[in-house]
Amino acid sequence: MTARWPDRDRTTIGRYLASLDLRSMKSQTCYRQVLNGFQDVVERHGKLDQHVLVAWLRISAECWAATTRLHRTRIIDRFLDHLLKVGAIDRNPITALREACNIKQCMPVWRALASRNPEKAFAELRRPQPFGSVLGGVMAEHVALMRNRGYKYSSQSERLLRFDHFLQWNPALQDQPIGVMLEHWAAEKATSNHAVECENLRRILTKIFRHRDPSIPPRRPDPRPQKEVVKHWRKPHIYSPADVRQILDIARSYPSPRAPLRPLSIYTMLLLAYCAGLRRGELARLDIGDVNLHSDTITVRQTKFFKTRILPLPDSVMIELRAYIHARRRAGASQDPRSGLFWHEPGRTRRYTPEAITWLFLAVIRRAGLKPQHGRTGPRFHDLRHSMVVNRILEWYRVGINPQGRLPFLATYLGHRDINSTLVYITVTQDLLHLANERFRAVGAPCLNLAQEVRS
């Protein structure tokens, strides 16, 4: 049976310090001093609660500076977790306060305890419970329903939670009709993005209540907020074929003395991103087993909306991909089919993350002079996907193919549900406008020659 704490002979502290295996004598002395001082305060008050924590912090303020004192609280946090784990205490007061405030971290609790007015600090620290408003139960039930049907429903759930928190912070609205609640929610911010947020929320709430009562009439969506936001979207940068060649050349010669495989990895990643229109997350999730060297295809698994697609690649891309896989094998990378295709040498078992891919790409295009050396302005990684679509349509125009008939195939290749999603990627450039006009002049203009039609 585990001894209860605090114990007079301090054996609990001694065993805990021995379990930490602190190698530095300075660390052992610091831990022992902090824990013994904390036990002294607990024994003096006779109860492990919020008042004991405040008293220990005030006594510690006489010995340590504020930053040092808050750093020492981490020692107490780990010690209290240990005591609770071994059954030496019944409850951890820090955990109880954290749960009462509905927060995940301990440091804000300690800061509130160290303030001049802890009660006021805790009142400001408390966060609303998820789906704790008057509409919380209905919204939580709808989120569970949609997830049981197989949808991620993450952005919609976050949107509902934000509205739920707003209702909890404004209890006077709980007895008001939903329309009044939404009006107050819309008045919170005057930004165009918040107007879109409100429109999406209205759509979701209408869907929720129509599920519960089919007699409720459907609501006609308002497209104006979304159109206003689209006006301020950054226009994609369309890389020309010459730009792409320059980017690939710089990637192949990227300086990397500590990771010799990295230049070829960047080169192959950017080649696939452009030629196959892959997103950065799709690149990062590719496994070595997703490449089929016999059928010249790659399998892109569980992408947006849980879709998986098999993409055929041209011979020129497969030659480069084979060369990379051969170099990857020579570098000692894992040959497990589930290991990352783009292998990170220093990590040995780690693959490139989407963030690392973006960082390397930005370094390459800055070397190419396509993006400023500092700041977020300029081309992005996702613009490679836009460029692939535009340049593919340009090539179809040049060889005499009607792009409209090929759009469903392009949508499938990109992993889109229909061509409406693909149309977003079609940025009208001068070259595209010129070739479209030329095709119309050659094919469509004769159909409008009414005089010739009358003579015939």
Side-chain angles (χ1 to χ4, degrees), residues 287-304:
D287 295 334
I288 188 70
D290 293 331
V291 181
N292 191 326
L293 298 177
H294 300 290
S295 61
D296 293 348
T297 60
I298 59 171
T299 302
V300 186
R301 303 181 186 277
Q302 294 296 311
T303 62
K304 211 171 182 180

Side-chain angles (χ1 to χ4, degrees), residues 335-383:
Q335 299 303 303
D336 187 335
R338 294 172 296 180
S339 65
L341 172 63
F342 296 107
W343 176 66
H344 189 264
E345 289 165 285
R348 293 295 173 188
T349 58
R350 294 177 59 187
R351 65 179 74 211
Y352 281 96
T353 63
E355 292 76 18
I357 293 174
T358 300
W359 182 85
L360 290 169
F361 172 73
L362 294 180
V364 169
I365 62 174
R366 282 188 169 119
R367 285 176 174 269
L370 298 174
K371 187 179 180 73
Q373 292 299 317
H374 304 284
R376 301 180 62 180
T377 59
R380 305 163 299 170
F381 183 89
H382 200 67
D383 292 338

Side-chain angles (χ1 to χ4, degrees), residues 161-284:
L161 276 173
R162 285 193 289 270
F163 182 60
D164 176 77
H165 290 171
F166 169 76
L167 293 180
Q168 291 188 57
W169 287 119
N170 296 271
L173 296 175
Q174 294 191 8
D175 298 329
Q176 298 294 328
I178 296 179
V180 176
M181 296 178 182
L182 290 171
E183 288 177 2
H184 282 78
W185 174 237
E188 277 290 292
K189 299 178 183 178
T191 63
S192 55
N193 285 327
H194 187 65
V196 174
E197 171 99 347
C198 295
E199 175 59 25
N200 290 331
L201 181 64
R202 290 188 180 96
R203 178 177 54 82
I204 296 174
L205 289 176
T206 301
K207 183 178 181 180
I208 291 174
F209 287 102
R210 274 181 57 79
H211 277 167
R212 302 172 68 88
D213 184 4
S215 64
I216 296 177
R219 177 182 173 275
R220 187 174 181 179
D222 184 3
R224 291 174 297 178
Q226 183 64 38
K227 289 182 178 179
E228 186 63 30
V229 168
V230 169
K231 293 179 182 178
H232 303 285
W233 282 358
R234 184 164 62 174
K235 190 175 181 180
H237 176 85
I238 304 303
Y239 300 97
S240 67
D243 291 338
V244 175
R245 284 192 293 270
Q246 183 187 11
I247 290 172
L248 293 176
D249 289 340
I250 293 176
R252 191 191 285 273
S253 60
Y254 188 83
S256 181
R258 294 187 179 180
L261 186 64
R262 179 171 292 169
L264 188 57
S265 299
I266 303 172
Y267 171 81
T268 311
M269 281 190 287
L270 298 184
L271 187 69
L272 280 179
Y274 176 71
C275 295
L278 297 185
R279 305 174 178 96
R280 65 170 193 167
E282 294 171 346
L283 276 174

Side-chain angles (χ1 to χ4, degrees), residues 122-137:
F122 278 118
E124 296 174 353
L125 190 61
R126 287 186 178 88
R127 297 291 178 265
Q129 292 290 335
F131 295 119
S133 69
V134 65
L135 298 179

